[in-house]
Amino acid sequence: MELQNTEENMDLQLEDRVILVVGGRGLIGSAVVDLLRKEGAIAIPASRSTTEGVQLDASQDDSVAEAVATVLERHGRIDGLVVAAAPAAGTLDSSTDSDPAEILKALDAKALTFLRVAKAVVPAMQDAGYGRVVGVSGQNAFLTGSMTGSMRNAALIVAAKNLADTLAGTGVSVNTVSPGPVTTEPSAAVEIGKPGESSPEDVANLILYLVSPLAGAVSGESIAVGHRVRGVTAF
């Protein structure tokens, strides 16, 4: 039997959903915002310096609280939260890789940023009985070679899993995505012992599913984007 091609897209049921995207001006965050808007969602980018959306310094509790309050005042709810705010792995200084002070800074910039923003948004989601939270980690969490990169990503995954378990049964799901290297021109090749590359849109497409109502039964998961590290069977 011949299969017929179709151009119909799956309806992610994101029309008019209010989604806050922290790090919405970054490589992954901006792709998430663009694709959400194509789905009809109200995508609100948040960053330290922005010409649209809300201004938010995720390292400061007061700034996070003010930004979340602003979104709730304007829209009445927050249906989804995406946290993609962190320095890119390539910017980490290898000469200070095992420096405890640098590791603490990296943990704060990624794992604690995620937790800080999620904890500010979740109460409104709990009141509504619905919410989707997605954090962007990375496959460095499963690899040695960069202590700072491994620890900041692994800590984010652990924080998200704990939060997901706390919220089980409330209608609020929490998941993470773990890309390998993200580039606008990803290679199809995957070397032994390394993760595969992906585009910002590849990562964003998975995030869109996880912030949609369709992903209600998925929580507490960390999902690789790109090829999960080739040659490794367990994490």
Side-chain angles (χ1 to χ4, degrees):
M1 182 176 67
E2 183 178 349
L3 297 177
Q4 294 182 344
N5 292 326
T6 177
E7 294 185 357
E8 293 184 3
N9 294 323
M10 177 185 293
D11 181 7
L12 293 174
Q13 301 174 21
L14 287 167
E15 184 79 25
D16 294 327
R17 296 281 181 180
V18 179
I19 314 293
L20 178 62
V21 183
V22 180
R25 296 181 63 192
L27 188 64
I28 294 173
S30 59
V32 171
V33 169
D34 289 344
L35 292 183
L36 281 170
R37 289 175 176 171
K38 288 178 181 178
E39 293 288 334
I42 302 169
I44 305 166
S47 63
R48 292 179 181 179
S49 176
T50 183
T51 56
E52 64 166 331
V54 292
Q55 189 170 17
L56 185 154
D57 181 348
S59 69
Q60 301 297 320
D61 291 336
D62 290 347
S63 178
V64 171
E66 182 177 352
V68 170
T70 297
V71 175
L72 291 173
E73 181 179 354
R74 291 176 183 173
H75 301 283
R77 67 187 196 279
I78 299 176
D79 300 308
L81 169 67
V82 178
V83 182
T91 66
L92 299 177
D93 186 352
S94 60
S95 68
T96 59
D97 183 55
S98 59
D99 185 325
E102 293 301 311
I103 291 172
L104 281 173
K105 284 169 57 178
L107 288 171
D108 185 74
K110 191 156 194 175
L112 296 186
T113 282
F114 167 79
L115 190 58
R116 192 175 290 118
V117 180
K119 293 285 284 184
V121 170
V122 159
M125 292 180 170
Q126 287 180 285
D127 289 344
Y130 175 89
R132 302 284 182 264
V133 178
V134 179
V136 178
S137 180
Q139 292 194 48
N140 275 353
F142 315 119
L143 295 169
T144 60
S146 171
M147 188 178 296
T148 305
S150 296
M151 291 182 69
R152 70 174 189 160
N153 286 338
L156 192 158
I157 292 171
V158 171
K161 172 57 175 169
N162 276 273
L163 186 58
D165 288 356
T166 300
L167 295 169
T170 66
V172 182
S173 68
V174 185
N175 294 286
T176 59
V177 298
S178 292
V182 178
T183 173
T184 55
E185 297 182 359
S187 171
V190 184
E191 297 181 35
I192 295 291
K194 293 186 178 181
E197 296 182 351
S198 56
S199 70
E201 291 74 22
D202 291 330
V203 184
N205 280 324
L206 175 58
I207 291 173
L208 256 64
Y209 172 74
L210 292 173
V211 296
S212 79
L214 302 184
V218 182
S219 190
E221 294 298 321
S222 177
I223 305 173
V225 188
H227 188 103
R228 186 180 279 273
V229 182
R230 184 177 177 186
V232 176
T233 60
F235 293 92

